[in-house]
């Protein structure tokens, strides 16, 4: 009889901690980089009409063909160079499963999106991080030196970077691509807010993979991500992609929304405008240092215990993300851009707390 389940668990899993997601009740939710605007009634009507025809007793299209066609048309790429995933997290897992052997190294910056390291460790890979400089920039010489030292199978670059919000120097990333002997993943989750991309370099660098997601632009509940890469890479990744990984509802709804992208583009424009306005509001509050952002959030540092500020905001029904326990983000908080009314209330409340 088995008396201790932990003895059966892989050692690499035993050392992990579950990814923590706050489930705090709140009036204003500004913690998860979501689009704060709902779909219009007209677009929601199209969505409801579209899903009426879905036969949920049948498996979904295993290739997500319609959705891939729409994305391929938008990015001007062949569908054979695209894979749809159940969120970007699944695609990260596919990449590490396909290209990482037990004990292989994975290189990333610190701080960055934590799932790169979590998924790598779960697959018995060894992530190594290079701390960003004081301006949250990639320290190129150190990064290249570590590439030479550890020979990483996979390199992850978040562009713009989460949670700092900035885009690393383009020339630095190109030098990484030139020197890399493994796979280089550029995660463009916030592309719609930065409009910066390495998509034109896909033909030049066969080891380049670009990740994107629909979660940040209004479809977080659908869990749809996609990657773009050389056809040969996609063929290898499809060997480990689970069948029917993208469900029928997500495929249909995402397709309808992308076919009516004008509404989403207006929302993205509003978020960018509100981001700029929120940044100006921060600058008027003594004791807050906001960092430049090309995303749908702003990271900011305060001159006191961030947990205290986080708790007081929570007590007033406003949920943000606290990074106070992170060695590299001491007394930092991250706020997602909300509606103008939400941003006004957030600014008013944090002004009361700080001043």
């Amino acid at each position: 009889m088995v008396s201790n389940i932990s003895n059966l668990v892989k050692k690499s899993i035993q050392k992990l901690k579950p990814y923590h997601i706050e489930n705090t009740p709140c009036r204003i939710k500004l913690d998860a980089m979501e689009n704060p605007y709902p779909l219009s009634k007209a677009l929601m009507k199209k969505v409801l009409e579209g899903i009426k025809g879905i036969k949920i007793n049948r498996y979904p299209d295993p290739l997500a063909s319609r959705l891939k066609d729409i994305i391929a048309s938008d990015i001007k790429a062949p569908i054979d160079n695209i894979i749809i995933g159940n969120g970007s997290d699944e695609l990260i897992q596919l990449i590490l499963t396909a290209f990482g052997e037990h004990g292989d190294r994975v290189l990333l910056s610190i701080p960055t999106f934590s799932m790169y390291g979590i998924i790598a460790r779960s697959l018995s890979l060894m992530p190594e991080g290079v701390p960003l400089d004081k301006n949250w920039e990639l320290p190129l010489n150190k990064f290249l030196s570590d590439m030479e030292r550890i020979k990483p199978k996979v390199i992850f670059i978040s562009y713009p970077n989460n949670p700092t919000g900035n885009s690393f120097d383009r020339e630095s990333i190109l030098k990484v691509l030139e020197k890399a002997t493994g796979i280089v993943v550029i995660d463009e989750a916030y592309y719609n807010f930065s409009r910066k991309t390495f998509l034109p370099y896909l033909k030049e660098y066969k080891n380049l993979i670009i990740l994107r997601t629909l979660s940040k632009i209004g479809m977080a509940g659908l869990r749809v991500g996609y990657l773009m890469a050389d056809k040969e890479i996609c063929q290898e990744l499809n060997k480990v992609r689970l069948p029917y990984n993208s469900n029928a509802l997500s495929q249909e709804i995402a397709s309808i929304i992308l076919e009516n992208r004008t509404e989403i583009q207006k929302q993205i424009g509003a978020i960018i405008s509100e981001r700029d306005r929120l940044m100006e509001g921060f600058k008027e509050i003594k004791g807050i240092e906001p960092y430049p952002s090309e995303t749908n959030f702003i990271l900011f540092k305060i001159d006191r215990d961030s947990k205290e500020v986080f708790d007081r905001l929570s007590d007033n029904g406003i949920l943000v993300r606290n990074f106070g326990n992170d060695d590299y983000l001491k007394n930092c908080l991250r706020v997602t851009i909300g509606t103008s009314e939400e941003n006004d209330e957030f600014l008013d409340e944090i002004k009361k707390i700080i001043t």
Side-chain angles (χ1 to χ4, degrees), residues 109 130 132-133 136-140 143 157 168-169 172-173 176:
S109 64
V130 178
L132 300 177
D133 68 19
W136 302 130
E137 186 54 71
L138 195 70
L140 181 60
F143 205 85
I157 297 175
F168 300 146
D169 177 68
S172 294
I173 297 176
V176 170

Side-chain angles (χ1 to χ4, degrees), residues 113-243:
F113 182 43
S114 61
M115 290 309 298
Y116 305 146
I118 291 172
I119 295 172
R121 290 186 183 93
S122 75
L123 295 171
S124 301
L125 306 178
M126 298 176 62
E128 290 206 17
V130 178
L132 300 177
D133 68 19
K134 64 180 180 179
N135 296 316
W136 302 130
E137 186 54 71
L138 195 70
L140 181 60
N141 290 338
K142 170 64 174 168
F143 205 85
L144 293 177
S145 173
D146 281 9
M147 284 171 56
E148 177 63 27
R149 177 177 59 85
I150 68 172
K151 302 289 191 298
K153 273 292 191 69
V154 181
I155 297 170
F156 284 100
I157 297 175
S158 179
Y159 183 80
N161 187 47
N162 172 21
T164 59
N166 61 307
S167 296
F168 300 146
D169 177 68
R170 189 180 195 82
E171 292 304 313
S172 294
I173 297 176
L174 286 174
K175 284 186 172 64
V176 170
L177 278 166
E178 289 167 8
K179 298 289 185 180
T181 56
I183 296 295
V184 178
V185 181
I186 298 181
D187 188 348
E188 296 183 351
Y190 302 94
Y191 160 74
N192 288 281
F193 307 100
S194 71
R195 306 305 294 179
K196 293 181 177 179
T197 181
F198 278 82
L199 195 56
Y201 295 95
L202 274 180
K203 290 182 180 179
E204 184 175 351
Y205 298 100
K206 287 180 67 69
N207 61 333
L208 172 61
I209 298 175
I210 294 176
L211 292 178
R212 288 190 187 168
T213 178
L214 302 185
S215 295
K216 315 306 176 188
I217 59 172
M219 291 173 259
L222 300 183
R223 305 300 295 129
V224 176
Y226 61 99
L227 67 74
M228 299 153 284
D230 184 81
K231 181 179 178 180
E232 187 177 352
I233 284 180
C234 290
Q235 288 172 343
E236 297 302 318
L237 293 177
N238 275 321
K239 292 178 182 178
V240 294
R241 180 176 62 85
L242 296 178

Side-chain angles (χ1 to χ4, degrees), residues 100-111:
E101 302 278 2
H102 185 283
D104 278 344
R105 306 298 183 90
V106 175
L107 189 63
L108 40 91
S109 64
I110 300 176

